[in-house]
Amino acid sequence: MAVRRAKDFLLGADRERIGEDTLGLLDDEVQRLVAAYPREPLSAIWDDLLETQEQVFRLLEGGRVRPSQLRDLNVKGAVLSFMVAKGFNDMEVPHQALTMTRVAAACARDAEHAGLIAATEGLKSLIAYWADKPTDAYHYASQGAAVAEHQRGTVALWLLGLQARAAAVLGDEETVRTANQQAADRRERVVPDDLDALGGLFTYAPEKQLYYAVEAEAVLGHGGAQLAQQAEQAVQGFSDPTAPNWAFGDLAGSQCDLALVRLYGGDLDGAAAAIRPVLDLPASHRNSGIVMSAMRVRQALTSGPAREAVVARDLGAEIEAFPASRPALPHR
């Protein structure tokens, strides 16, 4: 309470202008939240995320911003609104997620930050992907890829990965291969930018690129030893929770993809072993993307040749109960 009161004092202390201490305070908070988002359950950071976003909006609306500070505050507004939008999507509220993404895009445009503008198109694609709107997901990813064409950071690669995943749902294998090959080629020419320096949701690490590539192949229904090896590598890439690019959602997603690939390769026991850590996740970590990834495995179990096996029936029933055991996620 004392720290919160001190923050309120500092944010309101400069009645005529915004001081450097205020901007430094916001910098610290934004960096903390960006780092925490992939690593902690949403309920642990949601209130702080909304409060910090409100503080930035209040400063932008207050008329005390110097021209030299305006772009910085709009960048912060875009970054925070991006994370709030992702939070709404994790809570399975896609309409509110899309609305907040448009707020993030408006701040990014006011900041004239091409990387963030492209990232907001990527977030629209991600929201549409999990809302089972692959045509929209592909459209938004393509728009973002056009904006990011001359960006040297990893946001351009993320948009190609999003294109590949959406194309996979549409059954377009040629586009999947083309987009993933373009992303692989561009990886060699990446020059990290300010978004990569932020980290968290704003960088597209090699581990995540492999995870997305495997997921596109799994969504297409592919199995086989080579893809299974890649899927295992994707899981291994997120095996160390102390690694800088670790994210519990990416780990769970890659484990579900490994389960799918093993299923399509006829390895039912291997699939069950792959998804077991996901089903053992604390209820607080079961966000929308993780639940939907698990449900894909259930769909493959119940429609595949192993559906009559006792292991398949038991595992399918356990996955079916997986989302129902979540607590109420933070929601405003």
Side-chain angles (χ1 to χ4, degrees), residues 2-14 18-34 48 51-56 58-59 64 69 72-73 76 80:
V3 171
R4 187 178 299 275
R5 177 68 184 89
K7 284 182 180 179
D8 291 342
F9 170 76
L10 184 57
L11 287 162
D14 299 318
I18 298 173
E20 293 306 312
D21 286 336
T22 297
L23 292 177
L25 174 70
L26 290 172
D27 277 335
D28 292 346
E29 197 65 2
V30 168
Q31 290 170 10
R32 180 182 74 84
L33 291 166
V34 168
D48 287 349
E51 181 184 358
T52 307
Q53 183 196 38
E54 169 61 22
Q55 289 164 347
V56 170
R58 196 184 314 135
L59 292 174
R64 298 183 286 129
Q69 298 169 329
D72 180 51
L73 278 172
K76 288 179 173 60
L80 292 162

Side-chain angles (χ1 to χ4, degrees), residues 40-119:
E40 299 181 22
L42 186 58
S43 56
I45 64 169
W46 186 242
D47 288 344
D48 287 349
L49 183 53
L50 293 181
E51 181 184 358
T52 307
Q53 183 196 38
E54 169 61 22
Q55 289 164 347
V56 170
F57 285 169
R58 196 184 314 135
L59 292 174
L60 283 169
E61 294 169 347
R64 298 183 286 129
V65 183
R66 299 172 188 159
S68 60
Q69 298 169 329
L70 188 57
R71 184 178 189 271
D72 180 51
L73 278 172
N74 273 304
V75 167
K76 288 179 173 60
V79 166
L80 292 162
S81 297
F82 185 104
M83 289 191 289
V84 173
K86 178 65 164 59
F88 279 128
N89 193 62
D90 286 346
M91 291 187 277
E92 297 178 80
V93 195
H95 175 72
Q96 292 187 26
L98 190 56
T99 298
M100 191 59 70
T101 304
R102 297 191 189 283
V103 174
C107 291
R109 286 193 298 270
D110 285 345
E112 298 182 343
H113 195 300
L116 273 171
I117 294 169

Side-chain angles (χ1 to χ4, degrees), residues 8 20 34 114 122 154 177 188 191 197 227 251 286:
D8 291 342
E20 293 306 312
V34 168
T154 63
R177 303 285 150 66
E188 299 175 3
V191 177
L227 183 58
L251 173 59
R286 299 176 189 181

Side-chain angles (χ1 to χ4, degrees), residues 145-262:
V147 174
E149 183 178 0
H150 301 296
Q151 297 294 307
R152 300 294 300 277
T154 63
V155 66
L157 279 66
W158 181 49
L159 287 152
L160 289 167
L162 290 165
Q163 277 186 311
R165 292 205 313 185
V169 181
L170 295 168
D172 184 351
E173 295 202 27
E174 182 178 353
T175 298
V176 170
R177 303 285 150 66
T178 299
N180 280 336
Q181 186 59 54
Q182 287 176 343
D185 293 342
R186 289 190 69 156
R187 173 62 66 180
E188 299 175 3
R189 303 192 299 273
V190 161
V191 177
D193 59 13
D194 57 337
L195 295 183
D196 292 307
L198 264 180
L201 300 177
F202 299 93
T203 190
Y204 189 59
E207 305 95 299
K208 191 161 187 171
Q209 185 172 345
L210 177 59
Y211 154 45
Y212 268 48
V214 168
E215 177 150 304
E217 296 292 335
V219 169
L220 285 169
H222 294 157
Q226 183 177 357
L227 183 58
Q229 184 178 26
Q230 290 178 322
E232 289 164 5
Q233 289 173 352
V235 172
Q236 184 63 29
F238 294 106
S239 63
D240 180 4
T242 66
N245 296 314
W246 185 83
F248 71 83
D250 293 340
L251 173 59
S254 61
Q255 288 166 331
C256 289
D257 292 340
L258 175 59
L260 279 175
V261 169
R262 284 177 174 173

